[in-house]
PDB file of all heavy atoms in Angstrom:
ATOM      1  N   LEU M 321      15.326  13.430  -6.064  1.00 94.00           N
ATOM      2  CA  LEU M 321      16.427  12.409  -6.357  1.00 94.00           C
ATOM      3  C   LEU M 321      16.691  11.393  -5.216  1.00 94.00           C
ATOM      4  O   LEU M 321      16.715  10.254  -5.448  1.00 94.00           O
ATOM      5  CB  LEU M 321      17.695  12.945  -6.859  1.00 94.00           C
ATOM      6  CG  LEU M 321      17.710  13.543  -8.264  1.00 94.00           C
ATOM      7  CD1 LEU M 321      18.969  14.225  -8.741  1.00 94.00           C
ATOM      8  CD2 LEU M 321      17.200  12.557  -9.336  1.00 94.00           C
ATOM      9  N   ILE M 322      16.873  12.005  -4.054  1.00 95.00           N
ATOM     10  CA  ILE M 322      17.065  11.260  -2.879  1.00 95.00           C
ATOM     11  C   ILE M 322      15.905  10.321  -2.612  1.00 95.00           C
ATOM     12  O   ILE M 322      16.004   9.093  -2.261  1.00 95.00           O
ATOM     13  CB  ILE M 322      17.412  12.107  -1.646  1.00 95.00           C
ATOM     14  CG1 ILE M 322      18.770  12.817  -1.922  1.00 95.00           C
ATOM     15  CG2 ILE M 322      17.401  11.359  -0.344  1.00 95.00           C
ATOM     16  CD1 ILE M 322      19.178  13.863  -0.758  1.00 95.00           C
ATOM     17  N   ILE M 323      14.809  10.915  -2.656  1.00 96.00           N
ATOM     18  CA  ILE M 323      13.382  10.163  -2.304  1.00 96.00           C
ATOM     19  C   ILE M 323      13.323   8.935  -3.365  1.00 96.00           C
ATOM     20  O   ILE M 323      12.845   7.867  -3.126  1.00 96.00           O
ATOM     21  CB  ILE M 323      12.205  11.091  -2.296  1.00 96.00           C
ATOM     22  CG1 ILE M 323      12.460  12.209  -1.294  1.00 96.00           C
ATOM     23  CG2 ILE M 323      11.052  10.275  -1.955  1.00 96.00           C
ATOM     24  CD1 ILE M 323      12.755  11.771   0.124  1.00 96.00           C
ATOM     25  N   SER M 324      13.560   9.305  -4.558  1.00 96.00           N
ATOM     26  CA  SER M 324      13.662   8.340  -5.661  1.00 96.00           C
ATOM     27  C   SER M 324      14.613   7.224  -5.408  1.00 96.00           C
ATOM     28  O   SER M 324      14.294   6.013  -5.665  1.00 96.00           O
ATOM     29  CB  SER M 324      13.940   8.981  -7.065  1.00 96.00           C
ATOM     30  OG  SER M 324      12.929   9.843  -7.390  1.00 96.00           O
ATOM     31  N   ASN M 325      15.722   7.615  -4.854  1.00 96.00           N
ATOM     32  CA  ASN M 325      16.639   6.540  -4.448  1.00 96.00           C
ATOM     33  C   ASN M 325      16.196   5.517  -3.437  1.00 96.00           C
ATOM     34  O   ASN M 325      16.415   4.388  -3.457  1.00 96.00           O
ATOM     35  CB  ASN M 325      18.020   7.232  -4.033  1.00 96.00           C
ATOM     36  CG  ASN M 325      18.800   7.689  -5.139  1.00 96.00           C
ATOM     37  OD1 ASN M 325      18.698   7.471  -6.199  1.00 96.00           O
ATOM     38  ND2 ASN M 325      19.822   8.517  -4.849  1.00 96.00           N
ATOM     39  N   VAL M 326      15.439   6.011  -2.437  1.00 97.00           N
ATOM     40  CA  VAL M 326      14.785   5.314  -1.348  1.00 97.00           C
ATOM     41  C   VAL M 326      13.757   4.254  -2.021  1.00 97.00           C
ATOM     42  O   VAL M 326      13.773   3.198  -1.640  1.00 97.00           O
ATOM     43  CB  VAL M 326      14.118   6.238  -0.375  1.00 97.00           C
ATOM     44  CG1 VAL M 326      13.309   5.408   0.591  1.00 97.00           C
ATOM     45  CG2 VAL M 326      15.036   7.127   0.392  1.00 97.00           C
ATOM     46  N   LEU M 327      12.959   4.894  -2.886  1.00 97.00           N
ATOM     47  CA  LEU M 327      11.956   4.008  -3.522  1.00 97.00           C
ATOM     48  C   LEU M 327      12.591   2.859  -4.290  1.00 97.00           C
ATOM     49  O   LEU M 327      12.196   1.778  -4.285  1.00 97.00           O
ATOM     50  CB  LEU M 327      11.026   4.777  -4.525  1.00 97.00           C
ATOM     51  CG  LEU M 327      10.115   3.916  -5.338  1.00 97.00           C
ATOM     52  CD1 LEU M 327       8.849   3.709  -4.449  1.00 97.00           C
ATOM     53  CD2 LEU M 327       9.616   4.684  -6.548  1.00 97.00           C
ATOM     54  N   GLN M 328      13.558   3.236  -5.146  1.00 96.00           N
ATOM     55  CA  GLN M 328      14.295   2.159  -5.918  1.00 96.00           C
ATOM     56  C   GLN M 328      14.992   1.255  -4.995  1.00 96.00           C
ATOM     57  O   GLN M 328      14.883  -0.022  -5.307  1.00 96.00           O
ATOM     58  CB  GLN M 328      15.385   2.945  -6.802  1.00 96.00           C
ATOM     59  CG  GLN M 328      15.860   2.051  -7.888  1.00 96.00           C
ATOM     60  CD  GLN M 328      14.761   1.673  -8.954  1.00 96.00           C
ATOM     61  OE1 GLN M 328      14.022   2.563  -9.426  1.00 96.00           O
ATOM     62  NE2 GLN M 328      14.448   0.396  -9.273  1.00 96.00           N
ATOM     63  N   GLY M 329      15.592   1.599  -4.033  1.00 97.00           N
ATOM     64  CA  GLY M 329      16.215   0.609  -2.968  1.00 97.00           C
ATOM     65  C   GLY M 329      15.221  -0.229  -2.378  1.00 97.00           C
ATOM     66  O   GLY M 329      15.452  -1.456  -2.148  1.00 97.00           O
ATOM     67  N   PHE M 330      14.017   0.368  -1.983  1.00 97.00           N
ATOM     68  CA  PHE M 330      12.925  -0.408  -1.436  1.00 97.00           C
ATOM     69  C   PHE M 330      12.475  -1.577  -2.452  1.00 97.00           C
ATOM     70  O   PHE M 330      12.393  -2.760  -2.171  1.00 97.00           O
ATOM     71  CB  PHE M 330      11.826   0.310  -0.950  1.00 97.00           C
ATOM     72  CG  PHE M 330      10.622  -0.170  -0.419  1.00 97.00           C
ATOM     73  CD1 PHE M 330      10.768  -1.243   0.452  1.00 97.00           C
ATOM     74  CD2 PHE M 330       9.288   0.226  -0.631  1.00 97.00           C
ATOM     75  CE1 PHE M 330       9.671  -2.032   1.009  1.00 97.00           C
ATOM     76  CE2 PHE M 330       8.242  -0.542   0.019  1.00 97.00           C
ATOM     77  CZ  PHE M 330       8.426  -1.560   0.707  1.00 97.00           C
ATOM     78  N   ALA M 331      12.064  -1.131  -3.622  1.00 97.00           N
ATOM     79  CA  ALA M 331      11.588  -2.017  -4.652  1.00 97.00           C
ATOM     80  C   ALA M 331      12.639  -3.054  -5.023  1.00 97.00           C
ATOM     81  O   ALA M 331      12.214  -4.278  -5.155  1.00 97.00           O
ATOM     82  CB  ALA M 331      11.049  -1.235  -5.885  1.00 97.00           C
ATOM     83  N   ASP M 332      13.816  -2.590  -5.282  1.00 96.00           N
ATOM     84  CA  ASP M 332      14.810  -3.732  -5.735  1.00 96.00           C
ATOM     85  C   ASP M 332      15.267  -4.618  -4.507  1.00 96.00           C
ATOM     86  O   ASP M 332      15.455  -5.886  -4.860  1.00 96.00           O
ATOM     87  CB  ASP M 332      16.099  -2.831  -6.093  1.00 96.00           C
ATOM     88  CG  ASP M 332      15.908  -2.157  -7.306  1.00 96.00           C
ATOM     89  OD1 ASP M 332      14.893  -2.515  -8.136  1.00 96.00           O
ATOM     90  OD2 ASP M 332      16.753  -1.364  -7.793  1.00 96.00           O
ATOM     91  N   SER M 333      15.215  -4.138  -3.361  1.00 96.00           N
ATOM     92  CA  SER M 333      15.618  -5.017  -2.275  1.00 96.00           C
ATOM     93  C   SER M 333      14.456  -6.060  -1.938  1.00 96.00           C
ATOM     94  O   SER M 333      14.851  -7.309  -1.685  1.00 96.00           O
ATOM     95  CB  SER M 333      15.937  -4.290  -0.936  1.00 96.00           C
ATOM     96  OG  SER M 333      14.801  -3.492  -0.537  1.00 96.00           O
ATOM     97  N   VAL M 334      13.220  -5.723  -2.082  1.00 96.00           N
ATOM     98  CA  VAL M 334      12.109  -6.632  -1.997  1.00 96.00           C
ATOM     99  C   VAL M 334      12.209  -7.691  -3.019  1.00 96.00           C
ATOM    100  O   VAL M 334      12.014  -8.856  -2.950  1.00 96.00           O
ATOM    101  CB  VAL M 334      10.762  -5.848  -2.064  1.00 96.00           C
ATOM    102  CG1 VAL M 334       9.670  -6.827  -2.276  1.00 96.00           C
ATOM    103  CG2 VAL M 334      10.596  -5.035  -0.920  1.00 96.00           C
ATOM    104  N   GLY M 335      12.647  -7.132  -4.258  1.00 95.00           N
ATOM    105  CA  GLY M 335      12.853  -8.105  -5.419  1.00 95.00           C
ATOM    106  C   GLY M 335      13.837  -9.123  -5.147  1.00 95.00           C
ATOM    107  O   GLY M 335      13.640 -10.393  -5.427  1.00 95.00           O
ATOM    108  N   LEU M 336      14.950  -8.691  -4.427  1.00 95.00           N
ATOM    109  CA  LEU M 336      16.077  -9.568  -4.216  1.00 95.00           C
ATOM    110  C   LEU M 336      15.607 -10.617  -3.131  1.00 95.00           C
ATOM    111  O   LEU M 336      15.792 -11.812  -3.262  1.00 95.00           O
ATOM    112  CB  LEU M 336      17.313  -8.834  -3.738  1.00 95.00           C
ATOM    113  CG  LEU M 336      17.962  -8.107  -4.697  1.00 95.00           C
ATOM    114  CD1 LEU M 336      18.996  -7.220  -4.045  1.00 95.00           C
ATOM    115  CD2 LEU M 336      18.653  -9.037  -5.655  1.00 95.00           C
ATOM    116  N   LEU M 337      14.928 -10.051  -2.026  1.00 93.00           N
ATOM    117  CA  LEU M 337      14.520 -10.957  -0.972  1.00 93.00           C
ATOM    118  C   LEU M 337      13.489 -11.976  -1.386  1.00 93.00           C
ATOM    119  O   LEU M 337      13.411 -13.139  -0.783  1.00 93.00           O
ATOM    120  CB  LEU M 337      13.933 -10.177   0.199  1.00 93.00           C
ATOM    121  CG  LEU M 337      15.051  -9.238   0.931  1.00 93.00           C
ATOM    122  CD1 LEU M 337      14.394  -8.262   1.789  1.00 93.00           C
ATOM    123  CD2 LEU M 337      15.876 -10.296   1.872  1.00 93.00           C
ATOM    124  N   LEU M 338      12.510 -11.645  -2.363  1.00 92.00           N
ATOM    125  CA  LEU M 338      11.572 -12.552  -2.878  1.00 92.00           C
ATOM    126  C   LEU M 338      11.993 -13.248  -4.072  1.00 92.00           C
ATOM    127  O   LEU M 338      11.188 -13.963  -4.759  1.00 92.00           O
ATOM    128  CB  LEU M 338      10.294 -11.734  -3.124  1.00 92.00           C
ATOM    129  CG  LEU M 338       9.598 -10.963  -2.054  1.00 92.00           C
ATOM    130  CD1 LEU M 338       8.244 -10.224  -2.494  1.00 92.00           C
ATOM    131  CD2 LEU M 338       9.326 -11.875  -0.838  1.00 92.00           C
ATOM    132  N   ARG M 339      13.319 -13.239  -4.326  1.00 89.00           N
ATOM    133  CA  ARG M 339      13.916 -13.889  -5.492  1.00 89.00           C
ATOM    134  C   ARG M 339      13.159 -13.691  -6.748  1.00 89.00           C
ATOM    135  O   ARG M 339      13.014 -14.483  -7.566  1.00 89.00           O
ATOM    136  CB  ARG M 339      13.886 -15.486  -5.191  1.00 89.00           C
ATOM    137  CG  ARG M 339      14.773 -15.857  -4.045  1.00 89.00           C
ATOM    138  CD  ARG M 339      16.298 -15.611  -4.234  1.00 89.00           C
ATOM    139  NE  ARG M 339      17.180 -16.259  -3.317  1.00 89.00           N
ATOM    140  CZ  ARG M 339      17.717 -15.579  -2.219  1.00 89.00           C
ATOM    141  NH1 ARG M 339      17.323 -14.423  -1.923  1.00 89.00           N
ATOM    142  NH2 ARG M 339      18.485 -16.277  -1.455  1.00 89.00           N
ATOM    143  N   GLY M 340      12.755 -12.423  -6.966  1.00 90.00           N
ATOM    144  CA  GLY M 340      12.212 -12.090  -8.281  1.00 90.00           C
ATOM    145  C   GLY M 340      10.707 -12.295  -8.315  1.00 90.00           C
ATOM    146  O   GLY M 340      10.121 -11.788  -9.222  1.00 90.00           O
ATOM    147  N   ASP M 341      10.163 -13.040  -7.377  1.00 91.00           N
ATOM    148  CA  ASP M 341       8.705 -13.366  -7.452  1.00 91.00           C
ATOM    149  C   ASP M 341       7.934 -12.118  -6.666  1.00 91.00           C
ATOM    150  O   ASP M 341       7.429 -12.388  -5.677  1.00 91.00           O
ATOM    151  CB  ASP M 341       8.547 -14.708  -6.677  1.00 91.00           C
ATOM    152  CG  ASP M 341       7.067 -15.108  -6.928  1.00 91.00           C
ATOM    153  OD1 ASP M 341       6.318 -14.633  -7.799  1.00 91.00           O
ATOM    154  OD2 ASP M 341       6.704 -16.129  -6.216  1.00 91.00           O
ATOM    155  N   VAL M 342       7.947 -11.015  -7.368  1.00 94.00           N
ATOM    156  CA  VAL M 342       7.447  -9.779  -6.629  1.00 94.00           C
ATOM    157  C   VAL M 342       5.994  -9.760  -7.056  1.00 94.00           C
ATOM    158  O   VAL M 342       5.516  -9.092  -8.136  1.00 94.00           O
ATOM    159  CB  VAL M 342       8.087  -8.544  -7.123  1.00 94.00           C
ATOM    160  CG1 VAL M 342       7.620  -7.309  -6.447  1.00 94.00           C
ATOM    161  CG2 VAL M 342       9.624  -8.746  -6.967  1.00 94.00           C
ATOM    162  N   GLU M 343       5.120 -10.339  -6.209  1.00 95.00           N
ATOM    163  CA  GLU M 343       3.622 -10.252  -6.412  1.00 95.00           C
ATOM    164  C   GLU M 343       2.911 -10.287  -4.993  1.00 95.00           C
ATOM    165  O   GLU M 343       3.680 -10.690  -4.060  1.00 95.00           O
ATOM    166  CB  GLU M 343       3.131 -11.415  -7.289  1.00 95.00           C
ATOM    167  CG  GLU M 343       3.457 -12.813  -6.850  1.00 95.00           C
ATOM    168  CD  GLU M 343       2.859 -13.891  -7.782  1.00 95.00           C
ATOM    169  OE1 GLU M 343       2.854 -13.507  -8.908  1.00 95.00           O
ATOM    170  OE2 GLU M 343       2.623 -14.959  -7.246  1.00 95.00           O
ATOM    171  N   LYS M 344       1.700  -9.927  -4.930  1.00 96.00           N
ATOM    172  CA  LYS M 344       1.093  -9.867  -3.604  1.00 96.00           C
ATOM    173  C   LYS M 344       1.083 -11.124  -2.762  1.00 96.00           C
ATOM    174  O   LYS M 344       1.424 -11.189  -1.616  1.00 96.00           O
ATOM    175  CB  LYS M 344      -0.369  -9.427  -3.888  1.00 96.00           C
ATOM    176  CG  LYS M 344      -1.021  -9.298  -2.510  1.00 96.00           C
ATOM    177  CD  LYS M 344      -2.587  -8.967  -2.861  1.00 96.00           C
ATOM    178  CE  LYS M 344      -3.464  -8.877  -1.538  1.00 96.00           C
ATOM    179  NZ  LYS M 344      -4.841  -8.501  -1.866  1.00 96.00           N
ATOM    180  N   ARG M 345       0.869 -12.337  -3.399  1.00 95.00           N
ATOM    181  CA  ARG M 345       0.876 -13.478  -2.781  1.00 95.00           C
ATOM    182  C   ARG M 345       2.114 -13.810  -1.878  1.00 95.00           C
ATOM    183  O   ARG M 345       2.209 -14.120  -0.829  1.00 95.00           O
ATOM    184  CB  ARG M 345       0.442 -14.739  -3.648  1.00 95.00           C
ATOM    185  CG  ARG M 345       0.431 -16.100  -2.987  1.00 95.00           C
ATOM    186  CD  ARG M 345       0.329 -17.101  -4.108  1.00 95.00           C
ATOM    187  NE  ARG M 345       1.365 -17.143  -5.091  1.00 95.00           N
ATOM    188  CZ  ARG M 345       2.537 -17.595  -4.970  1.00 95.00           C
ATOM    189  NH1 ARG M 345       2.882 -18.132  -3.907  1.00 95.00           N
ATOM    190  NH2 ARG M 345       3.349 -17.472  -6.032  1.00 95.00           N
ATOM    191  N   THR M 346       3.252 -13.687  -2.813  1.00 95.00           N
ATOM    192  CA  THR M 346       4.475 -13.872  -2.190  1.00 95.00           C
ATOM    193  C   THR M 346       4.899 -12.943  -1.118  1.00 95.00           C
ATOM    194  O   THR M 346       5.473 -13.266  -0.123  1.00 95.00           O
ATOM    195  CB  THR M 346       5.583 -13.962  -3.281  1.00 95.00           C
ATOM    196  OG1 THR M 346       5.134 -14.762  -4.378  1.00 95.00           O
ATOM    197  CG2 THR M 346       6.914 -14.450  -2.688  1.00 95.00           C
ATOM    198  N   ALA M 347       4.496 -11.682  -1.470  1.00 95.00           N
ATOM    199  CA  ALA M 347       4.841 -10.604  -0.437  1.00 95.00           C
ATOM    200  C   ALA M 347       4.201 -10.889   0.948  1.00 95.00           C
ATOM    201  O   ALA M 347       4.658 -10.707   1.948  1.00 95.00           O
ATOM    202  CB  ALA M 347       4.364  -9.201  -0.923  1.00 95.00           C
ATOM    203  N   LEU M 348       2.906 -11.351   0.924  1.00 95.00           N
ATOM    204  CA  LEU M 348       2.093 -11.563   2.123  1.00 95.00           C
ATOM    205  C   LEU M 348       2.682 -12.823   2.947  1.00 95.00           C
ATOM    206  O   LEU M 348       2.688 -12.746   4.005  1.00 95.00           O
ATOM    207  CB  LEU M 348       0.554 -11.795   1.797  1.00 95.00           C
ATOM    208  CG  LEU M 348      -0.214 -10.573   1.359  1.00 95.00           C
ATOM    209  CD1 LEU M 348      -1.540 -11.023   0.945  1.00 95.00           C
ATOM    210  CD2 LEU M 348      -0.154  -9.586   2.429  1.00 95.00           C
ATOM    211  N   GLU M 349       3.192 -13.813   2.061  1.00 93.00           N
ATOM    212  CA  GLU M 349       3.862 -14.959   2.721  1.00 93.00           C
ATOM    213  C   GLU M 349       5.106 -14.545   3.389  1.00 93.00           C
ATOM    214  O   GLU M 349       5.490 -15.236   4.314  1.00 93.00           O
ATOM    215  CB  GLU M 349       3.980 -15.992   1.648  1.00 93.00           C
ATOM    216  CG  GLU M 349       2.675 -16.675   1.160  1.00 93.00           C
ATOM    217  CD  GLU M 349       2.985 -17.717   0.058  1.00 93.00           C
ATOM    218  OE1 GLU M 349       4.130 -17.681  -0.458  1.00 93.00           O
ATOM    219  OE2 GLU M 349       2.065 -18.296  -0.428  1.00 93.00           O
TER     220      GLU M 349
END
Side-chain angles (χ1 to χ4, degrees):
L321 287 178
I322 292 176
I323 306 307
S324 295
N325 285 344
V326 174
L327 176 80
Q328 197 64 49
F330 179 38
D332 289 351
S333 58
V334 168
L336 288 171
L337 289 165
L338 299 185
R339 296 295 195 264
D341 189 13
V342 185
E343 59 180 29
K344 179 182 178 180
R345 176 186 57 80
T346 311
L348 289 174
E349 290 173 353

